[in-house]
Amino acid sequence: MKAKFSPSLMCMDLLNIREQIEIINERADFYHVDIMDGHYVKNITLSPDFVKAVKPVCKLPIDCHLMVTNPEDFVEMLAEAGADYICPHAETINAQAFRIINKIKSLGVKVGVVLNPATPLSYIKHYIHLLDKITIMTVDPGFAGQSFIEEMLEKIEEARDIKEKNGYKYLIEVDGSCNEKTFKRLNDAGCEVFIVGSSGLFGLDSDLTVAWDKMIENFKRETE
């Protein structure tokens, strides 16, 4: 599978949202929208209102990563705002995982789950077959710019092996430190969707078009 890229919109130049989204429209595969409640993680970023505001100019699927304590409070709002994927943390839904997954699907939205570094894949084994995407965090959640956690490569390989063995359809995505230092190891382990933020994309150049070209050049150099 050809590698897919999902720019993290919280890392873009928020003073030039439309211009940046129009550049991303022609290059990326998804938009990654982090939604934090200040409780599950000690930060607050984007919101359902942000999704609603940018949806008219977005040409790609909007992927919403819920770093929130009560994801069920956000599901309907995000579906109405135009989310294409809703991805809560497994740690926040396991008491009612099947109900929340079914709710998301009933709204016509694809569903994923996100796994913190310390959470094993076995935690989601009873509903892994229902998922459209699994996001493996390679940093602890909540803040951009953290160091890559090497132990996550084994988890990515495990997700790939389970997918291949059972014929599952979920995408394997990685969130955290996707950049030229990690592209090769992540690609070799089985990552299919790379969430790119400060180090992987936006910090490469103030001109996002130039930054994107640099990112692709870095990826090709490291993986081909």
Side-chain angles (χ1 to χ4, degrees):
M1 176 185 289
K2 181 176 179 290
K4 299 179 185 296
F5 295 94
S6 183
S8 178
L9 297 194
M10 78 172 186
C11 298
M12 71 178 176
D13 179 0
L14 295 176
L15 293 177
N16 294 292
I17 291 174
R18 178 186 283 271
E19 176 189 335
Q20 299 242 307
I21 285 178
E22 287 174 349
I23 292 169
I24 292 168
N25 275 343
E26 307 305 321
R27 292 164 175 80
D29 299 283
F30 303 91
Y31 314 94
H32 186 80
V33 176
D34 286 304
I35 295 177
M36 307 179 190
D37 61 0
H39 185 265
Y40 182 68
V41 291
K42 301 299 183 184
N43 200 355
I44 295 175
T45 49
L46 308 177
S47 69
D49 284 340
F50 174 86
V51 174
K52 184 177 181 179
V54 300
K55 180 67 175 181
V57 296
C58 290
K59 295 181 180 179
L60 307 171
I62 299 175
D63 176 22
C64 295
H65 173 186
L66 299 187
M67 282 179 264
V68 301
T69 301
N70 297 302
E72 63 273 20
D73 294 345
F74 290 80
V75 168
E76 289 193 17
M77 281 192 292
L78 284 169
E80 290 172 6
D84 297 283
Y85 284 78
I86 295 177
C87 305
H89 271 254
E91 303 84 5
T92 68
I93 68 167
N94 262 26
Q96 48 194 336
F98 288 89
R99 189 176 67 80
I100 291 176
I101 289 169
N102 290 333
K103 175 69 171 177
I104 293 170
K105 291 192 171 198
S106 75
L107 294 167
V109 180
K110 292 188 176 180
V111 61
V113 296
V114 186
L115 294 169
N116 281 333
T119 305
L121 273 167
S122 59
Y123 198 71
I124 63 170
K125 70 178 181 179
H126 293 299
Y127 58 84
I128 192 170
H129 59 289
L130 300 174
L131 302 175
D132 297 299
K133 185 155 64 66
I134 295 174
T135 304
I136 294 172
M137 299 289 297
T138 56
V139 299
D140 285 327
F143 295 91
Q146 297 183 77
S147 298
F148 179 74
I149 299 172
E150 299 277 344
E151 290 85 349
M152 294 305 99
L153 293 169
E154 181 181 343
K155 190 190 292 186
I156 297 165
E157 291 171 354
E158 185 183 357
R160 178 192 61 196
D161 293 345
I162 291 170
K163 177 179 178 176
E164 291 177 353
K165 178 181 177 182
N166 296 283
Y168 295 153
K169 303 299 183 185
Y170 57 75
L171 289 169
I172 301 170
E173 179 177 73
V174 168
D175 188 357
S177 293
C178 292
N179 55 47
E180 63 178 323
K181 295 178 181 177
T182 61
F183 280 150
K184 177 173 173 50
R185 285 173 291 166
L186 293 172
N187 189 66
D188 289 349
C191 177
E192 297 167 333
V193 183
F194 297 80
I195 296 172
V196 284
S198 310
S199 64
L201 173 62
F202 294 97
L204 300 181
D205 197 279
S206 57
D207 182 330
L208 185 53
T209 303
V210 174
W212 188 273
D213 290 343
K214 286 183 177 180
M215 180 196 71
I216 295 299
E217 183 180 322
N218 289 341
F219 185 82
K220 288 181 176 178
R221 184 184 66 248
E222 296 298 324
T223 61
E224 292 183 354

